[in-house]
Amino acid sequence: QVQLVESGGGLVQAGGSLRLSCAVSGSILGINVMGWYRQAPGKQRELVATITSGGNTNYVDSVKGRFTISRDNAKNTVYLQMNSLKPEDTAVYYCNAHVLVVSGLRGYWGQGTQVTVSS
């Protein structure tokens, strides 16, 4: 069993910062790509950022220069540092990880954490 537990969401004013964390636990043989997605009310879930096990990163254009994804492989944890937050960043943020387990490589999701940016 693999679990992804997120933390760090909350309410912040526009221009503020938040840091999200996602810890992966369970019967893990390895973790490949980790990432953050978000879903705003009435919209589809969208990719925010990803990071490979080697540290290569990818961002959606709307967060480039404001958000930074990082990971601690020793702790099986991925982070999302969000600066200069805008009201349009308001969404539920979900952690995703491609985890190598005994049965192969599988994708897992966290439960989601709410980020609300007030204007």
Side-chain angles (χ1 to χ4, degrees):
Q1 190 76 5
V2 175
Q3 289 186 324
L4 276 64
V5 179
E6 300 154 353
S7 60
L11 173 64
V12 65
Q13 289 187 332
S17 298
L18 284 173
R19 188 191 194 208
L20 305 183
S21 299
C22 173
V24 183
S25 62
S27 302
I28 301 166
L29 301 179
I31 304 176
N32 192 351
V33 177
M34 305 181 81
W36 291 94
Y37 291 70
R38 65 186 180 187
Q39 188 166 17
K43 294 187 177 181
Q44 289 188 331
R45 189 174 298 189
E46 67 168 351
L47 172 68
V48 176
T50 60
I51 184 167
T52 68
S53 56
N56 293 318
T57 59
N58 180 54
Y59 298 91
V60 66
D61 285 346
S62 60
V63 308
K64 286 180 179 178
R66 300 188 298 122
F67 291 10
T68 302
I69 189 170
S70 61
R71 63 191 283 174
D72 184 333
N73 291 328
K75 296 182 179 179
N76 292 332
T77 300
V78 62
Y79 306 96
L80 186 67
Q81 178 67 44
M82 304 184 294
N83 299 328
S84 302
L85 282 161
K86 304 175 181 180
E88 51 264 44
D89 294 318
T90 295
V92 178
Y93 283 69
Y94 296 92
C95 172
N96 175 268
H98 295 181
V99 182
L100 182 62
V101 294
V102 171
S103 55
L105 191 64
R106 296 183 178 274
Y108 294 89
W109 291 93
Q111 79 284 359
T113 185
Q114 178 70 46
V115 172
T116 302
V117 184
S118 62
S119 57

